[in-house]
Amino acid sequence: MKSRESLTRLKEFQLKEKRRQLKQLQMMMAEFERMAKDLENQIQYEEKKSGITDPSHFAYSTFAKAARQRSDNLQVSIKELKVQQDAAEANVEELQEEFDKASAIEERDMRLRA
């Protein structure tokens, strides 16, 4: 009987840990999106200031070029994190099912003992 209780606690711990990781991924994605938006605003300001909006123009702002590259890199990172988030969400669902099963078995055993 003790092993089932410890199994339930283990599944609960795993579930909480995976939820924490999922929340961390979501927070990181939100931060990257905020940073990308800030960079886009800086790019627009720089283009407006210089009057040149074509990145291939020879006099295009080097700051705007660098900011655009950083923004593009952030977008790639966000896409990669989205893949990780999808996998983590699937893992959370799986762990939730396992925890529910373990809890049900433990409850049944407690009723049989009483």
Side-chain angles (χ1 to χ4, degrees), residues 48-112:
K48 184 187 274 187
K49 187 172 84 173
S50 70
I52 302 171
T53 59
D54 181 15
S56 61
H57 191 277
F58 74 94
Y60 188 73
S61 166
T62 55
F63 176 79
K65 255 186 206 175
R68 187 170 305 284
Q69 182 61 48
R70 287 194 307 272
S71 178
D72 292 346
N73 290 344
L74 284 170
Q75 293 302 327
V76 169
S77 295
I78 290 169
K79 287 177 185 171
E80 291 170 357
L81 287 173
K82 178 66 175 145
V83 170
Q84 290 179 22
Q85 178 186 2
D86 293 343
E89 286 173 347
N91 202 328
V92 164
E93 288 177 21
E94 182 181 316
L95 287 171
Q96 181 66 53
E97 290 173 7
E98 291 176 13
F99 173 71
D100 291 343
K101 287 178 188 176
S103 294
I105 290 171
E106 184 181 348
E107 245 181 72
R108 185 195 67 198
D109 288 349
M110 292 179 89
R111 276 187 269 135
L112 290 176

